[in-house]
Amino acid sequence: MTTVSQAPGVEPDGARLLARLAALADIGRTGSGACCRLALTDDDRRGRDLVVGWMRELGLQVSIDPIGNVFGLRPGRRADLAPVMTGSHIDTVRTGGAYDGNYGVLAGLEVVAALNDAGVSTERPLVVAFFTNEEGARFAPDMLGSLVYAGGLALDEALATRAIDGAVLGEELARIGYAGSAPLGGIRPAAFVELHVEQGPVLDLEGITIGAVESLQGISWQQVDIVGQSNHAGTTPMRMRHDAGYAAAAVAHFVRALTREMGGDQVGTVGKVDLTPNLINVIAARASLTVDLRNTDEALLQRAETRLAAFLDELAATEGVSISTQRLARFEPVRFDPGIAARIAAQAEALGYTHRRMSSGAGHDAQMLARICPTAMIFVPSVGGISHNPAEHTQPADLVAGLRVLFATLLQLANEGA
Amino acid sequence: MTTVSQAPGVEPDGARLLARLAALADIGRTGSGACCRLALTDDDRRGRDLVVGWMRELGLQVSIDPIGNVFGLRPGRRADLAPVMTGSHIDTVRTGGAYDGNYGVLAGLEVVAALNDAGVSTERPLVVAFFTNEEGARFAPDMLGSLVYAGGLALDEALATRAIDGAVLGEELARIGYAGSAPLGGIRPAAFVELHVEQGPVLDLEGITIGAVESLQGISWQQVDIVGQSNHAGTTPMRMRHDAGYAAAAVAHFVRALTREMGGDQVGTVGKVDLTPNLINVIAARASLTVDLRNTDEALLQRAETRLAAFLDELAATEGVSISTQRLARFEPVRFDPGIAARIAAQAEALGYTHRRMSSGAGHDAQMLARICPTAMIFVPSVGGISHNPAEHTQPADLVAGLRVLFATLLQLANEGA
């Protein structure tokens, strides 16, 4: 397997990347220091304008598709070969950090800048992309732009999506000047590599610099509604209770026990519980809770769902409560391309970075791109696993490490298959 | 043991009791059909005025003490003997029913009315009382009037109590004309019997008419605050979690298991749980929940508290969360007078009613009176165990049954020890 040797002496400039990250983070900055560039707001437009300006300065051929995804293409020596694409998104949640999404896009620009500076060309074209509404904080679903690009959601339907503030996506897109005319899915990449901060604690806690991300967890979100009987906490004997609050606790307790029993990648969380009437001395009449189950293996995720359903049936019978469930979200796990994950690991090794294979617990545009081309991701550590928070942080040295691994991987992919 | 034979042919009038209950329930009636006579409001004053008017019509000597407790005394043949007292309260919660409290007071008046009608006198004086602010819905603590009467709370302190609406108890008492001048605790009864609806489901579910209440549960209320670490529900491996939401569920699960293991009268409820941030895909950073433990036996209640504390210590260590507790309320169990409870059971038997010994799960003025004289309670069924609710209901036949047992018991007590 070839390594970084394809362009000896050429190095991306970490300081330039950090400066661009800082400049972009200044747009939509809130009083608490967070980044707030909700998709298709004026702040998102300002962020897009800045990045598109940088693309043009770097000589990239900018195209915008009808859902507002932006592509900056650097021609290769062979126009007949499909390009290698990198990128991510630049929209943020309401309390976003400086790196999530932005890092992958601006690292892509730095790869281009370094090649430009060194006068190095590649066989295949290189494309740096950013996709619309990855966060889903203003419009549902998340990863909407890449989903539409990959053919998973009809354009008309996507454009009609209504924001939590009532605005219509298509109108907002036109308003900020990003309803483009490039053919949807017109650029079909040979490969896609997304560089991203981990947003989890694994690399940070294990002291590893590079994650070669070979899969992405499947997600099962359910709402569980329990109807019991409100009664006096003092006068109602235990045997006569139909306690929705206890039943909710039993579900959360079961979810933990299930993950322990299944082991492996199975995770489960009850993060939201609401009791009614929620009083100290009243047995709860109703409980509403959410169950978040994730696994990298679809069969195991289905097994977890089946086990939960059986437990809910049993619980309803023993506690004398009625339980209904509602599916809030369901995504199958994604297997990234093992070859690209192997290249990422090999480049990290060659550059002297500690690395491991891993799975992504969060959703990313890469999972949509994986539908149409070989795809994998590069992770760098998130300090404390914190993201979607102004305290989101990745050490500059790790940001540079990820940039260098991305550079080497893209260069390798862009010179292959020629 | 003597029974109702002391006044052969004399019967209280159930219809007259029901009419008085209906008239009192009309005062403070809300749009939803509930009774709302929060303590020392204008509606409470109107209710008090109605009941005091009835007392005077019945020839009772009305006295009001400085905390607003009202006593109506019917002289006995022997002025040197301490009176037998009955009564309860007429304040309500915001969504009160027609019976809670009112029933015991108005049944006491009907006992007097029946004796008056038949021209029957008793050896000891009879007193019908109602106590201020039993519900605690406007002023804390509940059972305030009887607590002050029994010497458990200083008058000055009680008068300075501030309502949830900001008003001062002493000022409200004066404003509605119920700051009396009778010496506090001046009437010292030989015995106290309180008739009340059960407010629990036991009698209704078991099809039993009369409860001879021989004890009142001790109450332990704690707030449990758990601080964990907020993290992404997808990217955080199970072994790295410090999940305050799971810990809260584990506490509720433990409380149920503890009651099952201890059995007997031990009850336990987690009725209130609040997670932060309470989001589907975020491991909860903080949880606040309440634990309500009750037992009729102080040693067992302490054992339950000790077991809970040990569990919390263990949970804090295994989940890596910090847990603090705060005592919200603590009352020792009350043992009522076994002799009076036995008389109640015997009178119920003699009158042909099904009956059982039982414990009260709710607090009552009787628990304060038990500090100063032999005391017990009579319960009648609450349909579905519902109380503090406009749907509170007791069948008229059961209301009359309770009245007849009260009548017989009071008559017996008032003719004893002469």
Side-chain angles (χ1 to χ4, degrees):
Chain A
M1 181 169 288
T2 53
T3 62
V4 284
S5 58
Q6 299 103 332
V10 180
E11 275 288 339
D13 183 342
R16 195 159 49 184
L17 168 61
L18 298 178
R20 284 205 176 99
L21 280 167
L24 183 52
D26 276 342
I27 298 178
R29 170 132 17 223
T30 69
S32 67
C35 283
C36 180
R37 295 196 308 276
L38 296 174
L40 311 188
T41 58
D42 287 339
D43 281 323
D44 186 23
R45 176 181 53 72
R46 280 189 277 273
R48 286 168 171 260
D49 289 351
L50 181 66
V51 175
V52 168
W54 285 331
M55 284 180 165
R56 296 196 200 281
E57 283 171 25
L58 290 168
L60 296 177
Q61 299 167 9
V62 175
S63 61
I64 305 174
D65 74 11
I67 197 67
N69 299 320
V70 175
F71 305 89
L73 184 140
R74 183 178 192 264
R77 287 192 290 273
R78 295 272 302 273
D80 60 317
L81 293 180
V84 170
M85 188 182 289
T86 191
S88 188
H89 63 97
I90 62 168
D91 67 319
T92 74
V93 296
R94 194 170 292 281
T95 58
Y99 305 129
D100 180 350
N102 310 312
Y103 173 48
V105 177
L106 302 187
L109 292 190
E110 180 49 38
V111 168
V112 169
L115 293 175
N116 287 357
D117 290 352
V120 172
S121 64
T122 53
E123 292 292 321
R124 294 177 181 275
L126 278 176
V127 174
V128 182
F130 60 88
F131 297 96
T132 295
N133 188 55
E134 191 272 348
E135 293 291 4
R138 189 172 178 222
F139 299 94
D142 50 1
M143 296 166 280
L144 179 139
S146 50
L147 181 62
V148 171
Y149 168 76
L153 177 63
L155 177 63
D156 287 354
E157 197 180 328
L159 292 174
T161 303
R162 204 168 274 278
I164 51 170
D165 52 33
V168 175
L169 191 145
E171 294 169 8
E172 286 293 274
L173 201 53
R175 186 183 67 79
I176 68 166
Y178 278 86
S181 57
L184 195 60
I187 300 176
R188 195 167 184 93
F192 181 78
V193 179
E194 181 172 359
L195 172 64
H196 208 283
V197 292
E198 182 195 338
Q199 302 184 276
V202 176
L203 294 175
D204 185 42
L205 280 168
E206 296 185 352
I208 291 175
T209 305
I210 297 293
V213 184
E214 59 190 2
S215 60
L216 192 139
Q217 292 175 331
I219 297 180
S220 165
W221 281 1
Q222 291 180 74
Q223 179 169 316
V224 179
D225 292 300
I226 304 170
V227 180
Q229 191 177 320
S230 194
N231 259 315
H232 192 292
T235 59
T236 313
M238 298 311 293
R239 69 196 148 80
M240 293 181 181
R241 297 186 176 210
H242 309 287
D243 185 341
Y246 164 71
V251 174
H253 194 264
F254 171 80
V255 166
R256 173 63 69 94
L258 179 67
T259 62
R260 196 178 296 126
E261 183 196 317
M262 291 183 66
D265 286 329
Q266 182 64 52
V267 294
T269 308
V270 173
K272 184 170 182 352
V273 178
D274 296 292
L275 304 187
T276 305
N278 208 34
L279 295 172
I280 184 169
N281 59 344
V282 179
I283 296 164
R286 290 191 300 285
S288 180
L289 66 146
T290 55
V291 180
D292 175 322
L293 297 172
R294 308 197 195 196
N295 203 312
T296 50
D297 183 299
E298 173 63 17
L300 290 175
L301 186 55
Q302 285 182 17
R303 186 174 147 212
E305 292 175 317
T306 303
R307 290 284 308 278
L308 174 63
F311 177 79
L312 295 179
D313 284 347
E314 187 189 315
L315 178 65
T318 54
E319 187 66 15
V321 294
S322 74
I323 302 182
S324 59
T325 61
Q326 190 184 339
R327 176 166 283 191
L328 299 178
R330 184 63 165 81
F331 298 106
E332 286 196 20
V334 176
R335 291 261 156 220
F336 288 135
D337 185 81
I340 296 185
R343 280 173 181 77
I344 290 166
Q347 298 293 359
E349 181 73 27
L351 287 164
Y353 295 122
T354 52
H355 58 92
R356 60 167 286 176
R357 300 298 179 94
M358 65 189 300
S359 178
S360 172
H364 293 288
D365 291 309
Q367 76 192 75
M368 302 309 171
L369 273 292
R371 298 179 178 202
I372 58 167
C373 68
T375 295
M377 296 186 71
I378 305 167
F379 275 177
V380 293
S382 293
V383 175
I386 295 167
S387 71
H388 289 185
N389 190 306
E392 175 189 281
H393 187 62
T394 294
Q395 301 295 350
D398 291 336
L399 291 170
V400 173
L403 168 64
R404 294 182 72 204
V405 174
L406 178 70
F407 180 81
T409 305
L410 290 179
L411 209 54
Q412 179 181 22
L413 290 168
N415 288 325
E416 277 178 3
Chain B
M1 181 168 287
T2 53
T3 62
V4 284
S5 58
Q6 300 102 334
V10 181
E11 276 288 339
D13 183 343
R16 195 159 50 184
L17 168 61
L18 298 178
R20 285 206 175 97
L21 280 167
L24 182 53
D26 276 342
I27 299 178
R29 173 140 6 230
T30 68
S32 68
C35 284
C36 181
R37 294 195 308 275
L38 295 174
L40 311 188
T41 56
D42 287 340
D43 281 323
D44 185 24
R45 177 182 55 73
R46 280 189 277 273
R48 286 167 171 260
D49 289 352
L50 180 66
V51 175
V52 168
W54 284 331
M55 284 180 165
R56 295 197 202 280
E57 283 170 24
L58 291 168
L60 297 177
Q61 298 166 10
V62 175
S63 61
I64 304 174
D65 74 12
I67 197 67
N69 299 321
V70 176
F71 305 90
L73 184 141
R74 182 177 193 266
R77 287 189 291 271
R78 295 272 304 272
D80 59 316
L81 293 180
V84 170
M85 189 183 287
T86 191
S88 187
H89 63 96
I90 61 168
D91 68 317
T92 73
V93 296
R94 194 170 292 280
T95 58
Y99 306 129
D100 180 350
N102 310 313
Y103 173 50
V105 177
L106 301 187
L109 293 189
E110 180 51 36
V111 169
V112 169
L115 294 175
N116 286 358
D117 290 351
V120 172
S121 63
T122 53
E123 292 293 319
R124 295 176 180 274
L126 278 175
V127 175
V128 181
F130 61 87
F131 297 95
T132 295
N133 188 55
E134 192 271 348
E135 292 291 4
R138 190 174 177 221
F139 298 94
D142 49 2
M143 296 165 280
L144 180 140
S146 51
L147 180 63
V148 171
Y149 170 75
L153 176 64
L155 177 62
D156 287 354
E157 197 179 328
L159 292 174
T161 303
R162 206 167 273 278
I164 50 171
D165 52 35
V168 175
L169 191 144
E171 293 169 8
E172 285 293 274
L173 201 53
R175 186 182 68 79
I176 69 165
Y178 278 86
S181 55
L184 195 59
I187 299 176
R188 195 166 185 93
F192 181 78
V193 180
E194 181 173 0
L195 172 64
H196 208 283
V197 292
E198 181 195 339
Q199 302 184 274
V202 175
L203 294 175
D204 184 42
L205 281 168
E206 296 185 351
I208 291 175
T209 306
I210 297 293
V213 185
E214 58 190 3
S215 61
L216 190 139
Q217 291 175 333
I219 297 179
S220 166
W221 282 1
Q222 290 179 74
Q223 179 169 318
V224 179
D225 292 300
I226 304 170
V227 179
Q229 191 178 319
S230 194
N231 260 315
H232 192 292
T235 59
T236 313
M238 298 310 293
R239 71 197 146 81
M240 293 183 182
R241 297 186 177 211
H242 309 287
D243 184 341
Y246 164 71
V251 174
H253 195 264
F254 172 80
V255 166
R256 173 61 71 92
L258 179 68
T259 62
R260 197 179 294 126
E261 183 196 317
M262 293 184 64
D265 286 330
Q266 183 63 52
V267 294
T269 308
V270 173
K272 183 170 182 351
V273 178
D274 295 293
L275 304 188
T276 305
N278 208 35
L279 294 173
I280 185 169
N281 58 344
V282 179
I283 296 164
R286 291 191 299 285
S288 180
L289 66 146
T290 57
V291 179
D292 175 322
L293 296 172
R294 309 197 194 196
N295 201 311
T296 51
D297 183 299
E298 174 62 18
L300 291 174
L301 185 56
Q302 285 181 18
R303 188 175 145 211
E305 292 176 316
T306 304
R307 290 284 307 279
L308 174 63
F311 177 78
L312 295 179
D313 285 346
E314 187 189 315
L315 178 64
T318 54
E319 187 68 13
V321 294
S322 75
I323 303 182
S324 59
T325 61
Q326 190 185 337
R327 176 166 283 191
L328 298 179
R330 184 63 164 81
F331 298 107
E332 285 196 19
V334 175
R335 290 260 156 220
F336 288 135
D337 185 82
I340 297 185
R343 281 172 181 77
I344 292 166
Q347 298 293 359
E349 181 73 27
L351 287 164
Y353 295 122
T354 51
H355 58 93
R356 62 166 286 176
R357 300 300 179 91
M358 66 188 300
S359 178
S360 172
H364 293 288
D365 291 310
Q367 75 191 75
M368 302 308 171
L369 273 292
R371 298 180 177 200
I372 59 167
C373 69
T375 295
M377 295 185 71
I378 305 167
F379 275 177
V380 293
S382 293
V383 175
I386 295 166
S387 72
H388 289 184
N389 190 304
E392 175 189 282
H393 187 62
T394 294
Q395 300 295 351
D398 291 335
L399 292 170
V400 173
L403 169 65
R404 295 182 72 205
V405 174
L406 177 71
F407 179 82
T409 304
L410 290 178
L411 209 55
Q412 179 182 22
L413 290 168
N415 287 324
E416 277 179 3

